Amino acid sequence: MNKTFYLVSMLHSAHYFFLVFHTALILFNLFGWLVARWRKWHLFSLLVTLFSWIVLGIWKGFGYCFLTDWHYRVLTGLGYSNLPESYITFLIAHISGWRPDEGLVNTLTPVFTVLALGCSLWVNFYGSLSRKK
């Protein structure tokens, strides 16, 4: 076996890892607040996500996600081109073959994230206070 075969195999493995991990993280960020024992981790995960989008975004552009950056580097190594700005757009296109409007995705992604953050804050702080009564 040559080095190219191993490199391509590792890139494919990394692609599938990112595909599963990043998708699971997105779903966790949206719905993790629903499970009581996950709530603190959910809030932490959302704060890390928002840190990447906002603070790292100062240098990389608002909405920057280091996981998307790493995954896109892997995909570029595998020969992918014309990758969308948004990982959500990539994910929808990868699963369904349909590439949604980038503007719509760029609007809905932070809207749903802020809604999830509101739910997380509610259940982590107000929800826990109401149980103490």
Side-chain angles (χ1 to χ4, degrees):
M1 299 286 176
N2 61 28
K3 291 181 184 178
T4 304
F5 173 78
Y6 287 117
L7 177 61
V8 171
S9 295
M10 288 184 66
L11 288 173
H12 277 289
S13 296
H15 165 56
Y16 289 114
F17 167 78
F18 281 119
L19 195 60
V20 170
F21 179 76
H22 203 178
T23 303
L25 182 63
I26 291 166
L27 293 172
F28 180 71
N29 277 349
L30 289 173
F31 303 111
W33 60 273
L34 290 167
V35 180
R37 68 178 179 265
W38 295 351
R39 289 179 179 161
K40 288 189 183 0
W41 285 107
H42 175 260
L43 182 57
F44 176 75
S45 178
L46 277 176
L47 292 175
V48 170
T49 299
L50 291 170
F51 176 85
S52 180
W53 287 5
I54 297 166
V55 177
L56 297 180
I58 292 169
W59 295 277
K60 300 283 192 170
F62 178 77
Y64 172 77
C65 176
F66 58 89
L67 288 176
T68 300
D69 188 12
W70 295 345
H71 193 179
Y72 278 13
R73 289 176 191 218
V74 168
L75 291 172
T76 300
L78 289 170
Y80 283 70
S81 60
N82 193 28
L83 292 166
E85 179 184 314
S86 165
Y87 187 78
I88 302 295
T89 302
F90 165 77
L91 194 57
I92 292 168
H94 186 73
I95 292 169
S96 71
W98 169 66
R99 190 165 174 166
D101 177 69
E102 197 81 28
L104 179 64
V105 172
N106 288 340
T107 299
L108 292 179
T109 299
V111 165
F112 283 115
T113 303
V114 168
L115 285 172
L117 178 62
C119 292
S120 187
L121 291 170
W122 178 270
V123 297
N124 272 291
F125 295 105
Y126 181 76
S128 63
L129 291 175
S130 65
R131 279 179 268 165
K132 292 180 182 178
K133 290 182 179 180

